[in-house]
């Protein structure tokens, strides 16, 4: 490795060559027998962050990208940006909340249209203390969960079939693409005719709605796997079921998880539709009741529950991504 | 797929590593990629195959590892083969060591075996890494380890160094030369790089308009270095043969030598004119579709 020096615009005492440059790397050949005269690629150690920003001298057009090691005793990782990022996430909701509270307090927002934040909090407390929310939630989540499970099973199996085999694609894909265009709400009458108005009908509607996101994403993800990779795996003796299980499914997993995320969202959507059409229990039933009573505080409290569900879905899929996709670079942006 | 053994009576078909190709033909639609192509590789011999882009080198390699079939012709290869492609083709969802033992039976897919193979290419410490964290050169070395752990009698290399920088490529040349000397498989190296071919190979063949238009013994002492009159002479011959030469006078001189196209192995430096072409050595054979040669 040759010694490189980094051009800097000012002979600042802080300016130093990049770490690693000109210094024999500790990783070099330490584990390689001398007979194997292949120096391993030098792995550049992570450049420690510093507070010295890149500066540009407008006259010379030289941009100074030098960095110096942080003074000893200070943590090497940047703390502030992370806190800042967290703060940024909640900034907009907080602003909206503040505007709402101010509007209600000054009477700018009439209570008939929108109750004040404290009233909504009270309504929420009421739902919890009377156990209405817990009961409704457990019933609704079970419906959504069972429907989702059926939908995922069908969507995954169909998606893998069309993704893996040309015959499967010819048989199934165009039909799936056609049925996909039917809004699931439009299927409700048929489902009522078939399954009546009980639990089965609700679950069937949710399952139907959940099939397509997972199907489309699984199919696309399987098809997107580099054929050269499959070719190589075949040469090395990976075939049939083992090829599917060990190569195709893991590498299609990012796309499958995107489908899962969508399907989970759709399951909540279909749940609401199913429960508001005909229900005597569940979240949708509570919302329908609140609407009949013109209680916008209750409606808002229940809508908040839906947003929390959405949040949990997001957290759940993120967790899955972290455990199932350790091989993927997770950080794309800054 | 039929199997034909042309071994003389009493000769045991061994998986010696020999390659035997006669009259291989392959076309994609109207495009004839291989027309009456012959090639022999003796056990342990290192053959480099040169040819212009699109001349069918990769197609030939795919035929040899059963990713394609010949339309007709005789093709015999050892059953123990492995490949290094132009790209590393590592499975991103598997750690490096799992990539090395990819597709092997459970008994052979041990971590210890993978680590031993990785150590041979100087990457023992990277066993648990994910492929995306490797540099191009490292990834290609993992691909080499993956090929070598199968103890191939025939190693197929499809421009494995083409995407590497010049320095890494020189290191890879040394590594491949050393590993081939140790494991002694027959090697077919497809490359665009004439210098690389001359540096590494025992014989250099040129694929042109579907057949082997030149087959030259590289009669240079090892270890080889670039330069020197013999090196340059061979280099110029090969350049002209591939059709890179800009000197119109140079072309006919070589063309004369190589007419007819299916010339027997042609020693360019005529010291040992006898090239080893073991028509009699027959390995356990794989004969993709065998038909009458035209
Ligand atoms: N599956 C295929 N279908 C149709 N044509 C193909 C197919 N594979 C290869 N070809 C054609 O065959 C010819 C030879 O291709 P091949 O990949 O063997 O070339 P090559 O000698 O390896 O070239 P390069 O040096 O650029 O890699 C090309 O013209 C290519 O377009
Ligand atoms: Mg090629």
């Amino acid at each position: 490795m040759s010694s490189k020096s980094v051009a800097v615009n000012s002979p600042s005492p802080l300016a130093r060559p990049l770490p690693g440059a000109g210094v024999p790397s500790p990783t070099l050949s330490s584990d390689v027998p001398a007979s194997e005269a292949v120096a391993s690629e030098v792995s550049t150690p992570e450049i420690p962050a510093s507070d010295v920003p890149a500066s540009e001298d407008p006259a010379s057009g030289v941009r100074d990208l030098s960095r110096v090691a942080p003074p000893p005793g200070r943590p090497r990782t940047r703390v502030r940006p992370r806190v800042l990022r967290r703060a940024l996430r909640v900034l907009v909701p907080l602003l909206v909340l503040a505007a709402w509270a101010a509007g209600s307090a000054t009477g700018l927002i009439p209570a008939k249209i929108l109750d004040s934040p404290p009233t909504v909090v009270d309504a929420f407390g009421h739902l919890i203390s009377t156990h209405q929310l817990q009961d409704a939630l457990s019933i609704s989540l079970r419906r959504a969960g069972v429907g989702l499970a059926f939908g995922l099973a069908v969507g995954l199996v169909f998606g893998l079939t069309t993704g893996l085999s040309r015959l499967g694609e010819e048989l199934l894909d165009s039909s799936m693409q056609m049925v996909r265009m039917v809004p699931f709400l439009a299927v409700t009458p048929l489902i009522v005719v078939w399954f009546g108005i009980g639990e089965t009908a609700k679950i069937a509607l949710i399952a139907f709605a959940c099939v397509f996101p997972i199907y489309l994403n699984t199919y696309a993800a399987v098809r997107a796997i580099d054929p050269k990779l499959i070719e190589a795996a075949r040469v090395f003796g990976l075939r049939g079921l083992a090829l599917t299980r060990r190569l195709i499914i893991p590498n299609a997993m990012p796309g499958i998880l995107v489908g899962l995320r969508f399907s989970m969202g759709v399951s909540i959507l279909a749940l609401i539709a199913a429960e508001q059409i005909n229900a005597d229990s569940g979240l949708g039933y509570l919302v329908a009741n609140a609407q009949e009573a013109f209680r916008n505080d209750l409606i808002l409290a229940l809508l908040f529950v839906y947003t929390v569900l959405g949040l949990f879905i997001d957290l759940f899929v993120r967790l899955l991504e972290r455990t199932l996709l350790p091989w993927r670079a997770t950080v794309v942006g800054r | 797929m039929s199997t034909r053994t042309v071994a003389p009576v009493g000769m045991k078909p061994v998986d010696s590593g020999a390659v035997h190709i006669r009259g291989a033909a392959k076309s994609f639609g109207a495009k004839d990629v291989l027309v009456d192509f012959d090639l022999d590789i003796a056990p342990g011999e290192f053959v480099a195959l040169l040819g212009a882009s699109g001349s069918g080198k990769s197609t030939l390699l795919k035929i040899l590892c059963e990713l394609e079939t010949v339309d007709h012709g005789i093709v015999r290869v050892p059953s123990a083969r492995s490949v290094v492609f132009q790209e590393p083709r590592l499975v991103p969802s598997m750690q490096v060591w799992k990539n090395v033992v990819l597709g092997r039976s459970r008994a052979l897919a041990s971590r210890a075996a993978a680590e031993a193979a990785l150590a041979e290419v100087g990457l023992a410490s990277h066993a648990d890494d994910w492929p995306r964290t490797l540099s191009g050169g490292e990834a290609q070395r993992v691909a080499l380890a993956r090929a070598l752990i199968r103890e191939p009698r025939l190693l197929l290399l499809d421009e494995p160094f083409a995407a590497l920088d010049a320095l890494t490529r020189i290191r890879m040349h040394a590594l491949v030369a050393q590993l081939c000397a140790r494991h002694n498989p027959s090697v077919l190296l497809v490359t665009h790089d004439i210098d690389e071919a001359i540096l590494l190979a025992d014989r250099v063949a040129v694929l042109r308009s579907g057949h082997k238009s030149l087959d030259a013994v590289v009669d240079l002492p090892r270890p080889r270095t670039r330069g020197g009159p013999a090196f340059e002479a061979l280099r110029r011959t090969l350049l002209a043969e591939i059709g890179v030469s800009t000197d119109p006078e140079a072309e006919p001189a070589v063309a004369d030598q190589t007419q007819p196209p299916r010339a027997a192995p042609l020693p360019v430096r005529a010291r040992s004119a006898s090239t080893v072409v073991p028509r009699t050595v027959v390995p356990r054979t794989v004969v993709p579709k065998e038909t009458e040669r035209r």
Side-chain angles (χ1 to χ4, degrees):
Chain A
M1 204 174 98
S2 69
S3 165
K4 286 178 265 179
S5 67
V6 178
V8 287
N9 62 344
S10 63
S12 147
L14 295 176
R16 277 192 224 154
L18 283 172
V23 185
S25 163
T27 63
L28 198 89
S29 304
S30 56
D31 55 334
V32 186
S35 61
E36 273 130 41
V38 176
S40 49
E41 267 72 10
V42 177
S43 64
T44 325
E46 208 172 298
I47 300 168
S50 80
D51 294 333
V52 183
S55 68
E56 187 160 335
D57 180 358
S60 65
V62 174
R63 196 160 157 75
D64 187 356
L65 302 177
S66 329
R67 278 184 155 189
V68 290
R74 281 195 48 198
R76 284 165 70 97
T77 48
R78 270 196 255 188
V79 179
R80 211 183 318 123
R82 194 188 289 171
V83 173
L84 202 73
R85 244 179 275 167
R86 293 255 160 91
L88 279 177
R89 269 173 207 248
V90 292
L91 185 65
V92 171
L94 280 181
L95 280 179
V96 171
L97 200 65
W100 174 18
S104 296
T106 55
L108 226 65
I109 306 174
K112 262 180 84 177
I113 305 294
L114 193 64
D115 276 314
S116 69
T119 321
V120 175
V121 172
D122 283 347
F124 195 71
H126 170 74
L127 285 173
I128 290 179
S129 63
T130 56
H131 260 266
Q132 288 183 73
L133 183 61
Q134 292 90 319
D135 295 346
L137 206 57
S138 77
I139 290 172
S140 289
L141 285 184
R142 197 167 53 233
R143 284 175 186 149
V146 174
L148 179 69
F150 277 113
L152 287 182
V154 173
L156 259 179
V157 169
F158 278 33
L160 285 176
T161 310
T162 49
L164 289 171
S165 94
R166 197 143 294 280
L167 179 70
E169 185 193 7
E170 280 158 7
L171 270 176
L172 284 173
D173 186 54
S174 51
S175 313
M176 289 297 279
Q177 299 290 350
M178 278 161 64
V179 180
R180 170 174 89 90
M181 297 314 285
V182 180
F184 69 87
L185 282 177
V187 186
T188 318
L190 196 62
I191 284 181
V192 170
V193 169
W194 284 349
F195 300 106
I197 51 171
E199 268 325 275
T200 322
K202 293 183 182 63
I203 287 168
L205 184 67
I206 296 169
F208 176 81
C210 290
V211 166
F212 300 99
I214 189 82
Y215 166 77
L216 290 173
N217 283 284
T218 304
Y219 170 55
V222 171
R223 278 295 151 101
I225 293 175
D226 187 357
K228 288 181 168 178
L229 205 61
I230 296 172
E231 206 175 71
R234 284 228 167 89
V235 172
F236 292 119
L238 205 60
R239 278 157 221 273
L241 209 63
L243 183 73
T244 307
R245 200 169 51 80
R246 305 213 24 234
L247 189 136
I248 292 177
I249 293 183
N251 285 281
M253 197 47 85
I256 294 177
L257 288 185
V258 171
L260 176 68
R261 191 189 288 256
F262 278 120
S263 278
M264 288 179 87
V266 165
S267 74
I268 301 293
L269 207 73
L271 172 77
I272 296 160
E275 288 184 337
Q276 288 186 349
I277 287 160
N278 179 293
D280 43 20
S281 59
L283 280 175
Y285 170 71
L286 288 187
V287 176
N289 271 0
Q291 181 206 330
E292 271 163 32
F294 288 94
R295 290 283 303 274
N296 74 52
D297 54 340
L298 281 177
I299 296 177
L300 280 169
L302 289 163
L303 290 188
F304 177 70
V305 173
Y306 285 128
T307 65
V308 172
L309 284 182
L311 194 71
F312 274 120
I313 289 175
D314 198 55
L315 283 177
F316 174 73
V317 177
R318 269 166 203 259
L319 194 75
L320 270 186
E321 277 174 353
R322 204 166 299 168
T323 47
L324 290 178
L325 311 173
W327 48 276
R328 252 182 135 219
T330 42
V331 181
V332 177
R334 284 185 175 231
Chain B
M1 210 179 279
S2 67
T3 308
R4 199 183 70 160
T5 310
V6 290
V9 180
M11 183 164 180
K12 217 174 147 197
V14 257
D15 204 351
S16 65
V19 172
H20 177 76
I21 304 169
R22 279 293 173 276
K26 175 75 184 174
S27 45
F28 293 108
K31 182 167 172 55
D32 295 327
V33 178
L34 295 180
V35 189
D36 200 16
F37 180 84
D38 301 347
L39 182 71
D40 285 286
I41 303 176
E45 194 181 19
F46 195 129
V47 175
L49 182 68
L50 290 162
S53 182
S55 58
K57 306 180 297 295
S58 296
T59 304
L60 176 69
L61 230 71
K62 280 189 176 181
I63 289 169
L64 296 185
C65 58
E66 286 180 85
L67 289 170
E68 289 279 1
T69 50
V70 279
D71 295 339
H72 54 84
I74 298 172
V75 178
R76 292 204 176 81
V77 289
S79 52
R81 286 154 296 172
S82 51
V83 201
V84 178
F85 298 97
Q86 181 167 349
E87 328 77 25
R89 300 201 189 182
L90 302 179
V91 182
S93 61
M94 291 181 189
Q95 281 150 319
V96 162
W97 77 268
K98 292 217 165 168
N99 263 286
V100 171
V101 294
L102 178 74
R104 307 201 86 198
S105 67
R106 197 156 297 220
L108 293 171
S110 77
R111 192 189 158 102
E115 275 180 350
L118 283 168
E120 281 207 276
V121 296
L123 289 175
S125 61
H126 290 264
D128 288 318
D129 288 1
W130 298 108
R132 83 175 151 79
T133 66
L134 300 176
S135 75
E138 286 169 342
Q140 204 55 289
R141 270 146 69 198
V142 173
L144 195 59
R146 179 172 66 180
L148 286 174
I149 199 176
R150 281 142 235 270
E151 288 167 13
R153 295 315 309 145
L154 172 64
L155 181 60
L156 301 162
L157 305 171
D158 192 355
E159 303 186 38
F161 320 125
L164 304 179
D165 66 279
L167 269 176
T168 313
R169 200 182 305 175
I170 290 169
R171 289 191 196 134
M172 286 292 279
H173 288 165
L175 180 66
V176 164
Q178 176 204 338
L179 290 174
C180 287
R182 186 184 309 164
H183 297 274
N184 204 33
S186 313
V187 182
L188 181 60
L189 167 71
V190 161
T191 178
H192 276 128
D193 184 339
I194 293 177
D195 288 8
E196 178 174 294
I198 302 175
L199 283 173
L200 292 174
D202 301 321
R203 247 170 66 216
V204 181
V206 173
L207 173 58
R208 188 174 172 183
S209 7
H211 51 253
K212 188 175 68 182
S213 69
L214 184 105
D215 192 332
V217 173
V218 185
D219 196 7
L220 295 169
R222 289 174 192 267
R224 295 174 183 155
T225 47
R226 276 161 227 254
F231 188 100
E232 286 305 325
L234 183 51
R235 192 169 182 278
R236 244 175 289 122
T237 311
L238 290 169
L239 269 173
E241 186 56 35
I242 297 166
V244 180
S245 174
T246 45
D247 179 8
E249 304 301 320
E251 187 85 321
V254 179
D256 279 349
Q257 280 185 311
T258 55
Q259 300 294 338
R262 298 212 307 96
L266 170 77
V268 167
R269 284 236 310 152
R271 213 171 71 196
S272 75
S274 57
T275 327
V276 201
V277 185
R279 283 157 200 257
T280 44
V281 180
V282 178
R284 290 223 316 278
T285 53
V286 177
V287 185
K289 202 194 288 176
E290 191 208 313
T291 1
E292 195 58 43
R293 269 173 65 193
R294 20 175 153 153

